[in-house]
Amino acid sequence: MSIRLSLNHVSKEFQLVLDIINDQIIPNKFANIDWMLFTDLIEHHRLFSFIYPKLREKEELVPENILRSLESMYQQNTIRMLHLSGEMSIISSLFTKKNIPLIVLKGPVLAQDLYGDISLRTSSDLDVLVPIKQLECAEEILSKRGYIKNDYIKTVLNDWRWRHHHVTYVHPQKKVKVELHWRLNPGPAKEPSFSELWNRKRVSTITKEPIYILGKEDLFFFLSTHGARHAWSRLRWLLDIRQLLERDLDWNFIYTLFMKNHYIPVGSQAIILSSSIFDTPLPNIDKLLLNKQGEKLAQLVVFYFERMVNLHTVPVPDEVSSYHSKYLFSSFSWQQKCLYLLSLLYPFPEDAETLPLPQKYHFLYFLLRPYLWARRRMFT
C-alpha cells in the first residue's frame, strides 16, 4: 500500500531537508536555496544534529558559514545530551533507592535507543513517568535535588488527575528541566496503565545502572499519540517514527493496543506520514493502514509543514489556533469524541474562579456549569 501526500506548496528548502534525510543528496537541488530559511527550518524541526553529519560529507554543496553554524548547534547539543545523561542517571538512582518505579520516556535514552548515538537527536529536557499514587514522593525527591516546580496546575474536583498528564520541574543551577508524567497523554482518552507499561519495559544500555524505558510497541504508541497531538509540527517526531518502524515490532500487538485505546486513526496517520515523507518500507500491517481517517489526518498535517508552525510559543496566531482546534477534534476516534464532549460537562477551574464556593460545595459546579460558561462568554 502506497499513499502519497500532496506537498505541492511546501518550500524547496523544506523539500531539500527531506531529500537530505532520505539520503537523496543531488547537487542541482542545492542551487538557489535560501540558506537562512534552510537553517531556520532545520532548527525549528530540531533536525540539525541528524542532518549536520550528512552535510559534513558533502560540504562543497553548502556555504561555509551555514555549515559552521550547524556544526556549532551539533556540538552544543552533544554537550547538552551528555549533561542530561548524567542527570538522568542520578535521578533514576534516587528513585530506585526510594522504590519508586520510573520509566524514562524521552531524552538521551530515546536518542540511544532509536539512533544508536545520543548526538544524533536533540532534547531539551527529561520526560519521566511514575505511578500517580507515588507522584507526591517523586515530587519530593526532585525538590530535595534542587528542582523548583514550574507548573502549578489550576484544578477543581481533582480534574488534574485526568485532564493533565505532567508537571514541570526546573533546576536553576543545572539548567535542566524535568517533565514528571503520571500519564502518557492528557485525558480523557484511554491509554495503557502504568503497571502494563512497567511489565513490558526494557532496560536502556546508555548507563551502567539500569534505566527503564518503554517496550518497543508501547514506544510506538507513545510517539504516535504524542506526535499526533502536536500535529507533527516538528519533523523530529516523525523521524523517530521512521527509526522505530525499521525495528522488528509485534504488529498484531500494536493493532490490539491501538484498538483497545481507540487510537487506530492516529496509528494509521503516523505510518502513512512516515511512509510518504521518508519512504519507509511498510510491514504487513493493513489493519492499521487501511483507515480513511488516518489518511485524511496525514494530509491535514501538511498545513504545519507549509508554515513552520510553533505550537509552543504563546500566543499562537488565530489562524493556526483555529485550524489546530479543528485538527485535534478530527484526530479523535468516535469514542474519544464522545469522551471529550462528556468531559466538557465536568467542572473547570475557571468555574471556581467565576463563582468561588467553599470546597464542600464544589459539587454544585456540575449544576452551575452551563450558567457559569454562559456568563464567561458574555463578558469576554
Side-chain angles (χ1 to χ4, degrees):
M1 180 179 180
S2 178
I3 298 174
R4 288 288 164 187
L5 299 183
S6 174
L7 296 172
N8 299 330
H9 299 293
V10 301
S11 67
K12 61 180 181 294
E13 289 77 14
F14 182 88
Q15 187 60 58
L16 179 60
V17 170
L18 297 184
D19 289 340
I20 295 169
I21 292 173
N22 293 329
D23 293 320
Q24 298 174 358
I25 301 180
I26 303 172
N28 62 13
K29 289 191 175 183
F30 285 72
N32 301 316
I33 288 294
D34 182 338
W35 290 107
M36 293 307 297
L37 175 57
F38 175 82
T39 304
D40 288 343
L41 280 168
I42 291 177
E43 190 168 7
H44 167 75
H45 289 288
R46 304 297 192 265
L47 292 170
F48 48 84
S49 60
F50 187 80
I51 283 182
Y52 169 70
K54 294 178 178 291
L55 290 181
R56 187 172 53 195
E57 299 175 1
K58 301 286 184 179
E59 59 181 26
E60 71 278 3
L61 299 175
V62 184
E64 184 178 354
N65 64 314
I66 299 299
L67 203 61
R68 297 290 78 79
S69 176
L70 295 178
E71 180 183 34
S72 176
M73 286 188 275
Y74 174 86
Q75 291 173 345
Q76 290 175 24
N77 177 66
T78 301
I79 294 171
R80 175 71 176 169
M81 293 295 271
L82 289 170
H83 179 54
L84 287 175
S85 296
E87 184 65 11
M88 177 189 60
S89 180
I90 293 171
I91 290 175
S92 179
S93 177
L94 291 172
F95 277 61
T96 299
K97 288 177 181 177
K98 293 292 184 179
N99 294 316
I100 299 177
L102 179 77
I103 297 176
V104 180
L105 300 174
K106 292 192 290 183
V109 293
L110 185 61
Q112 180 67 31
D113 188 37
L114 295 184
Y115 299 86
D117 187 337
I118 63 171
S119 68
L120 294 181
R121 188 186 189 276
T122 65
S123 186
S124 60
D125 52 29
L126 298 172
D127 292 63
V128 299
L129 178 71
V130 298
I132 191 169
K133 64 182 179 181
Q134 293 182 280
L135 182 62
E136 188 175 338
C137 293
E139 291 188 297
E140 184 179 346
I141 290 173
L142 291 177
S143 295
K144 287 182 177 179
R145 176 74 179 153
Y147 284 86
I148 298 173
K149 196 173 186 177
N150 197 38
D151 285 346
Y152 287 89
I153 298 172
K154 295 180 180 179
T155 183
V156 63
L157 294 168
N158 283 327
D159 67 336
W160 67 270
R161 298 173 67 92
W162 55 273
R163 276 201 168 114
H164 299 273
H165 65 303
H166 71 73
V167 65
T168 302
Y169 277 81
V170 177
H171 199 295
Q173 284 76 44
K174 295 180 178 294
K175 308 299 182 185
V176 173
K177 181 171 71 173
V178 175
E179 288 191 355
L180 185 60
H181 290 242
W182 57 90
R183 289 176 54 94
L184 296 177
N185 297 292
K190 285 184 62 180
E191 63 179 36
S193 67
F194 183 90
S195 61
E196 291 176 289
L197 298 174
W198 185 254
N199 289 337
R200 298 192 290 261
K201 68 184 182 301
R202 292 176 293 149
V203 180
S204 172
T205 60
I206 196 171
T207 62
K208 293 181 181 179
E209 297 296 324
I211 291 179
Y212 299 109
I213 59 178
L214 292 172
K216 290 183 294 184
E217 290 74 23
D218 289 319
L219 182 59
F220 180 74
F221 177 86
F222 171 59
L223 294 178
S224 298
T225 54
H226 176 271
R229 183 158 46 86
H230 294 286
W232 306 99
S233 52
R234 286 184 178 146
L235 280 174
R236 179 188 62 186
W237 297 322
L238 198 55
L239 187 58
D240 291 342
I241 293 293
R242 187 193 78 166
Q243 298 298 110
L244 191 54
L245 285 176
E246 293 176 350
R247 303 291 181 84
D248 183 20
L249 303 176
D250 183 342
W251 286 104
N252 287 326
F253 178 72
I254 286 176
Y255 176 75
T256 301
L257 185 63
F258 278 77
M259 175 67 76
K260 178 181 177 181
N261 294 285
H262 313 308
Y263 272 108
I264 288 291
V266 163
S268 174
Q269 179 200 42
I271 294 168
I272 290 170
L273 281 170
S274 181
S275 171
S276 182
I277 291 179
F278 297 131
D279 294 324
T280 310
L282 295 176
N284 185 22
I285 46 176
D286 288 350
K287 289 186 291 186
L288 264 179
L289 272 180
L290 295 176
N291 185 287
K292 289 296 182 182
Q293 187 180 353
E295 187 177 345
K296 178 182 177 182
L297 289 176
Q299 187 60 52
L300 289 176
V301 166
V302 177
F303 171 90
Y304 302 85
F305 296 160
E306 295 170 347
R307 289 163 178 77
M308 198 158 57
V309 170
N310 189 346
L311 296 171
H312 295 82
T313 301
V314 178
V316 177
D318 291 342
E319 176 199 19
V320 174
S321 180
S322 175
Y323 185 94
H324 191 61
S325 295
K326 293 174 183 176
Y327 159 80
L328 284 177
F329 191 73
S330 67
S331 72
F332 296 162
S333 64
W334 68 266
Q335 297 97 330
Q336 290 173 332
K337 287 176 180 176
C338 291
L339 274 175
Y340 171 75
L341 293 174
L342 284 173
S343 75
L344 297 180
L345 301 177
Y346 198 97
F348 279 77
E350 292 82 357
D351 297 326
E353 293 175 0
T354 304
L355 180 63
L357 292 174
Q359 188 169 0
K360 64 180 179 179
Y361 294 122
H362 278 188
F363 69 92
L364 292 175
Y365 288 127
F366 282 101
L367 301 176
L368 294 169
R369 173 146 176 72
Y371 162 75
L372 296 174
W373 176 83
R375 181 181 175 84
R376 285 196 299 276
R377 296 279 293 184
M378 188 182 302
F379 291 101
T380 57

